[in-house]
Amino acid sequence: MHTYRPRPGPPRWLRPPRPTARLRLTILYGAAFLACGVAVLAVIAYLLDGHTTTHLPTSSRPATAELHGKFPVADVQQAGRYDIVRVPVKIPAADVQQVGGYDVLNAYLPAAAAQKLAGPTALTPTEQAKLLAEAQVQVNFDKREILIISATALAFIAVAAATIGWIIAGRVLRPLSTITAAARRIAASSLHERLALHGPDDELKELADTLDDLFARLEASFDAQRRFAANASHELRTPLTRERTLLQVTLADPAATTATWQAVSQELLASNAEQEQLIEALLALASSEGGPGEREPANLAAITSAALAAAQPAISRLSLNVQASLQPAVLDGDPLLVQQLVTNLIDNAVRHNVPGGDLRVATGTSNGRAVLSVTNSGPVIPATEVERLFQPFQRLGPRPARRDGGHGLGLSIVRSIATAHGAVIGALAMPEGGLAVDVTFLPPAPVPRTAGLMRRC
């Protein structure tokens, strides 16, 4: 049986480079420089070749020229086997023809001047045409040389520009490599580490600071999860341990009677009810952290009135003095979650109150926002402990002995629901004891004008 083996790929030096940001920036810099260089070459070629051409003018008036018999040595230039003499000549503009980047003169010498220049070295018409052709060839050659030299220089400069662009891009993107390496190194067990990037206040520094803030939030979230898992396991294990102890003690008692087992059964049922309440509280916390469902207008005053009515037995048992000021207040949210928030706040205010204490509940609007205020009397709460009470399984003191002491999830559920609705919670420890909590919701969304017209119709 033959085992399939993948065919080896090409050698590494034959593979195309990975399209990194540094390579793309280098190609972009080089291409931009090369395009500018080609544009400059095109302008040079345009200027060398010229852009207008005129025909040889016809003039019935002969041109004139003034020649002098003696010429300074500085005005004589040797070109091959010929001497070019700079002679001041006046030529009409109509006898000037532009060819490429040069001016060709249609000049005629007077007879006297021609006789002065005529001699054994005078040029024949054929030689003059040959000399003009040679001059044109030399001019074309010079043009090609200029263009070739310019193109070669452009090629070398383009390579140098790409190299410089590669170096500059690497230096600019170096902090990004540092950020990538640090982000890969930081894991769930090392979220305390930070990038702490130093340098100019640019986009890369802003990215590093944003990642540091993200790591800080993740660290706080992971720590909260660990504490939540530890506290939840403790809260769930405690009643189970108590139930097992009750059963073991009763089984080990040879004098246990039917009444004893009935008392144990009642204790187990109460413990089971406590576990059921804890599980329901955990489910409520999980559903609130999942965010609200379908938002719809809700009357905060009506929800609060229903919650007060549901808490009336506990209020009567403690003989609390209730002061309710329920003004209409409309908000957009999940009615079930808002009801859970109000119920938890009132239950918390009743559970941690004192017999004959006070309970003040108010609803209203402030700057178009629905506001719920719940204030209760009770034990003195240190100002530094208020924030901790909104964390899961956190209580002011040790775990209460009574069954209705709660599990430390009421205020954490309130905060989770408020966060899901974009509401703001304000909590203040009262100097004489107790806690005042204000929840300010977002203003309701404006009703579209067309929807209002449809309802009126």
Side-chain angles (χ1 to χ4, degrees):
M1 181 176 180
H2 298 284
T3 304
Y4 173 76
R5 295 181 179 179
R7 299 180 59 183
R12 187 171 183 178
W13 58 275
L14 286 179
R15 299 174 186 173
R18 188 167 66 96
T20 60
R22 184 179 185 181
L23 179 60
R24 293 198 300 269
L25 287 176
T26 302
I27 295 175
L28 182 61
Y29 295 156
F33 180 85
L34 189 60
C36 294
V38 171
V40 172
L41 277 183
V43 172
I44 293 175
Y46 177 75
L47 295 177
L48 288 177
D49 291 339
H51 55 279
T52 59
T53 302
T54 59
H55 298 286
L56 184 64
T58 57
S59 176
S60 59
R61 184 168 57 114
T64 60
E66 295 181 2
L67 301 178
H68 302 278
K70 295 180 180 180
F71 305 100
V73 178
D75 293 338
V76 180
Q77 181 181 359
Q78 187 175 5
R81 60 190 184 91
Y82 302 101
D83 292 333
I84 300 177
V85 182
R86 297 179 181 177
V87 180
V89 181
K90 294 181 180 180
I91 301 173
D95 292 333
V96 180
Q97 177 187 7
Q98 187 174 9
V99 178
Y102 301 91
D103 294 332
V104 178
L105 307 179
N106 183 19
Y108 299 91
L109 295 179
Q115 289 178 0
K116 291 181 181 180
L117 292 178
T121 59
L123 297 178
T124 62
T126 304
E127 291 175 335
Q128 293 178 3
K130 181 179 179 182
L131 179 61
L132 184 60
E134 291 177 354
Q136 187 64 36
V137 170
Q138 183 65 34
V139 168
N140 294 335
F141 178 77
D142 292 341
K143 291 180 182 180
R144 288 194 301 271
E145 285 291 318
I146 292 174
L147 293 177
I148 292 174
I149 293 174
S150 301
T152 304
L154 176 62
F156 282 105
I157 296 176
V159 174
T163 304
I164 296 174
W166 174 265
I167 297 174
I168 293 177
R171 186 167 184 82
V172 171
L173 296 176
R174 184 179 302 171
L176 193 59
S177 301
T178 303
I179 293 174
T180 303
R184 289 175 177 173
R185 184 179 65 254
I186 296 175
S189 59
S190 58
L191 286 175
H192 62 279
E193 298 184 15
R194 298 294 181 266
L195 299 177
L197 185 66
H198 301 286
D201 190 11
D202 53 5
E203 291 83 355
L204 295 179
K205 181 68 165 54
E206 183 179 0
L207 174 62
D209 294 342
T210 303
L211 289 177
D212 284 341
D213 294 340
L214 174 62
F215 292 146
R217 292 194 299 270
L218 287 176
E219 182 183 12
S221 178
F222 272 71
D223 291 342
Q225 277 191 343
R226 294 189 187 98
R227 290 194 302 269
F228 180 83
N231 292 329
S233 62
H234 174 74
E235 293 289 336
L236 291 172
R237 186 172 60 246
T238 299
L240 293 177
T241 303
R242 184 171 61 248
E243 292 172 2
R244 183 176 59 185
T245 302
L246 286 173
L247 291 175
Q248 289 177 347
V249 170
T250 306
L251 287 174
D253 185 8
T257 62
T258 304
T260 304
W261 281 106
Q262 288 181 350
V264 170
S265 299
Q266 293 294 331
E267 188 73 18
L268 292 178
L269 288 175
S271 179
N272 183 263
E274 182 182 356
Q275 294 181 57
E276 184 178 358
Q277 293 176 2
L278 175 60
I279 294 174
E280 289 179 354
L282 290 175
L283 291 176
L285 181 61
S287 62
S288 63
E289 290 181 346
E294 184 177 357
R295 293 177 180 265
E296 60 184 61
N299 189 351
L300 185 59
I303 295 176
T304 306
S305 177
L308 277 174
Q312 192 60 41
I315 294 174
S316 300
R317 187 169 56 252
L318 293 175
S319 301
L320 300 179
N321 301 316
V322 179
Q323 299 178 10
S325 176
L326 305 181
Q327 301 297 326
V330 180
L331 59 90
D332 283 339
D334 189 333
L336 294 179
L337 289 182
V338 175
Q339 181 182 4
Q340 183 72 45
L341 180 147
V342 176
T343 302
N344 280 23
L345 276 180
I346 294 178
D347 287 347
N348 184 80
V350 173
R351 179 180 297 114
H352 299 285
N353 215 315
V354 294
D358 297 327
L359 173 62
R360 296 189 296 273
V361 181
T363 61
T365 57
S366 176
N367 297 325
R369 298 169 177 260
V371 179
L372 169 65
S373 298
V374 178
T375 305
N376 65 277
S377 57
V380 177
I381 302 175
T384 56
E385 296 291 321
V386 174
E387 178 62 26
R388 185 179 64 85
L389 294 178
F390 285 86
Q391 299 178 5
F393 300 107
Q394 298 298 316
R395 303 176 182 84
L396 181 59
R399 177 182 175 88
R402 54 178 180 170
R403 297 284 184 194
D404 58 349
H407 304 278
L409 292 174
L411 292 181
S412 62
I413 294 175
V414 169
R415 184 179 65 175
S416 179
I417 296 176
T419 302
H421 284 80
V424 179
I425 296 181
L428 178 64
M430 306 301 292
E432 64 277 8
L435 185 68
V437 180
D438 296 334
V439 182
T440 304
F441 293 87
L442 291 176
V447 179
R449 188 175 181 181
T450 57
L453 292 176
M454 293 175 62
R455 281 196 293 266
R456 283 196 293 270
C457 294

